[in-house]
Amino acid sequence: MSWESMGNGSRTPARRSTGKTVALAACLGLAALVALVGVVSSFVVGGAASAAGSLLAVVGLTGLLVGLFTVVVGHFRTAGLAGRRAGAVLTVLSLVALSGGGALAGGDAPADTVATAATTPGATPTTTPAATPARTPVTTPDPVPTTTTTTTTRTSTTDAILATAAPGTALAALDTLDVKGRAPKTGYSRDAFGAAWTDTDQNGCYTRNDVLNRDLTARSWTDAVHCTVSAGALADPYSGDAIAFTRGGSTSSAVQVDHVVALSNAWQTGAQSWDAATRTAFANDPLGLLAVDGPLNEQKGDGDAATWLPPNTAFRCDYVARQVAVKAAYGLWVTPPERDAIARVLGTCPGEPLPVRSAFAALVAAPVPVPVPRPVVVAPAPATSAPAPAADAPAETSADVPAGASAVCRDGTLSYSAHRRGTCSHHGGVDTWL
């Protein structure tokens, strides 16, 4: 260690304040490092304003350290401070700078970023709202994800509509149906529901003609029992248009018979567990059948109320009410979108009654022709001879019945079949061959 001589002959260390200076330099270096990290972090998280506030706070902290050192030691010639008064002034100014910098750095951070950082440390900032903000509480309502809002609104709207349902209405019946997703279509075929248009009610007429007889007006038939419709007029419920029907290979498809609950839809909502007899009865049940515009029926396909509704809006209440009636009668379920769609329609007509099943009309019995007696010609008796005995009444011949008739059925109708096999099969069998 070097020593230097004082004027009075004594010696003292040349660098008394060297240790204190080194300590202060170390503190200032550490403060500078913390300042650099703070400024960079503030800029990344809060932007330029936050970074400026952090810098001002670091400058204030540095000045505070220098001022306190000067007050304690009495001078800090390196910083140009010659006495404790200068150190005190610097300390006060540094405290002001430190407070202002802290306020500027903390007050500019976005509310949603602060809230997110407080609830999920270290996670990537998201738009998920925080329950308790880390800083000043935000009074703006937290945003709600769009999908959640849509689902909640749909469900609450459907429930509100169903809550208004009166007993005996289609809306009340809808509320009793199970709600599930569609089952797979695996194994479905039209044949699973029996042969198309069988005579399940045993009235002697296939189901398609039964529906045409019920739904068409101004009908004409190809037979005397009024079964097979040859022509008629349809007030189409799906389009609201009038459609002329003419039976024929290229014209019959203009009017088709629709299963209001499509067979494929029924298969995927419970029918695949039925036995064959139940599926056949379902496919021919008058409750779920309507004569409609052919192209619109093909457009519908196997859609439910969530994917297809009749263009004629005036018929939609009746349409979905009939779907509910069919599903309720056979224990089929509805999908969530289907239930919501039906509820929306019935919400416009909450008093819509639940349709009930009615049987097809019986066929008209063909009248039995009354034989016309042949005129009897009486020959004049000879004047001189005795009266001849009265002749026997002539026997009835084939001329007494309409031409072409081959048999009289047991229900009184005539058969014009050219073959004996199957004659009068729908009329109780043959009573008399002609």
Side-chain angles (χ1 to χ4, degrees):
M1 177 181 294
S2 62
W3 295 77
E4 62 183 15
S5 208
M6 302 291 289
N8 55 8
S10 63
R11 293 187 302 173
T12 183
R15 298 289 187 270
R16 286 183 175 181
S17 62
T18 300
K20 296 178 181 180
T21 303
V22 170
L24 181 60
C27 291
L28 293 176
L30 181 61
L33 180 60
V34 171
L36 179 60
V37 174
V39 169
V40 172
S41 301
S42 298
F43 182 79
V44 171
V45 175
S50 181
S54 298
L55 181 61
L56 181 60
V58 170
V59 170
L61 178 62
T62 304
L64 179 63
L65 293 175
V66 173
L68 291 175
F69 179 85
T70 303
V71 170
V72 173
V73 176
H75 65 86
F76 189 15
R77 292 184 178 87
T78 303
L81 300 175
R84 287 183 173 87
R85 180 178 296 178
V89 172
L90 179 60
T91 299
V92 172
L93 293 177
S94 298
L95 288 173
V96 173
L98 184 60
S99 300
L104 182 61
D108 195 49
D112 57 346
T113 304
V114 173
T116 304
T119 55
T120 311
T124 302
T126 66
T127 57
T128 304
T132 306
R135 298 176 187 264
T136 305
V138 180
T139 57
T140 303
D142 296 331
V144 180
T146 302
T147 54
T148 302
T149 301
T150 302
T151 302
T152 302
T153 301
R154 185 188 67 231
T155 302
S156 60
T157 300
T158 300
D159 290 341
I161 293 173
L162 292 174
T164 66
T169 62
L171 200 55
L174 174 63
D175 201 22
T176 66
L177 300 182
D178 290 336
V179 182
K180 305 178 186 178
R182 276 200 184 197
K185 196 175 179 179
T186 306
Y188 167 76
S189 70
R190 175 59 180 86
D191 292 340
F193 289 82
W197 310 133
T198 58
D199 183 16
T200 55
D201 61 356
Q202 299 296 312
N203 70 343
C205 200
Y206 294 126
T207 303
R208 172 178 165 80
N209 280 308
D210 279 330
V211 176
L212 295 179
N213 273 298
R214 183 193 66 187
D215 295 349
L216 269 60
T217 59
R219 302 178 303 276
S220 57
W221 301 268
T222 62
D223 50 30
V225 294
H226 294 182
C227 171
T228 305
V229 179
S230 60
L234 173 68
D236 177 41
Y238 286 179
S239 65
D241 297 334
I243 301 176
F245 170 75
T246 302
R247 181 182 177 85
S250 61
T251 57
S252 290
S253 60
V255 173
Q256 298 179 13
V257 175
D258 179 37
H259 290 93
V260 176
V261 175
L263 299 183
S264 172
N265 176 277
W267 180 265
Q268 295 177 83
T269 57
Q272 58 183 279
S273 64
W274 298 345
D275 57 30
T278 303
R279 286 197 290 265
T280 299
F282 175 87
N284 293 273
D285 191 335
L287 179 63
L289 299 174
L290 291 174
V292 298
D293 175 76
L296 283 179
N297 183 44
E298 294 171 1
Q299 180 191 90
K300 170 189 171 181
D302 63 354
D304 58 23
T307 59
W308 191 90
L309 289 170
N312 179 18
T313 57
F315 185 69
R316 288 182 178 178
C317 286
D318 184 286
Y319 176 75
V320 298
R322 192 168 295 274
Q323 287 187 325
V324 171
V326 170
K327 293 208 166 191
Y330 286 88
L332 299 175
W333 68 78
V334 290
T335 64
E338 181 183 10
R339 175 177 180 261
D340 293 336
I342 293 175
R344 283 195 299 270
V345 174
L346 292 178
T348 65
C349 49
E352 182 72 24
L354 187 70
V356 296
R357 181 185 291 106
S358 59
F360 290 123
L363 299 181
V364 176
V368 179
V370 178
V372 178
R374 295 179 62 189
V376 178
V377 178
V378 180
T384 59
S385 61
D392 293 335
E396 292 183 353
T397 67
S398 58
D400 297 323
V401 296
S406 59
V408 178
C409 301
R410 290 181 179 176
D411 62 358
T413 60
L414 293 175
S415 173
Y416 294 83
S417 174
H419 305 281
R420 291 200 169 196
R421 182 178 181 181
T423 301
C424 296
S425 59
H426 295 298
H427 301 281
V430 177
D431 181 66
T432 304
W433 292 103
L434 302 177

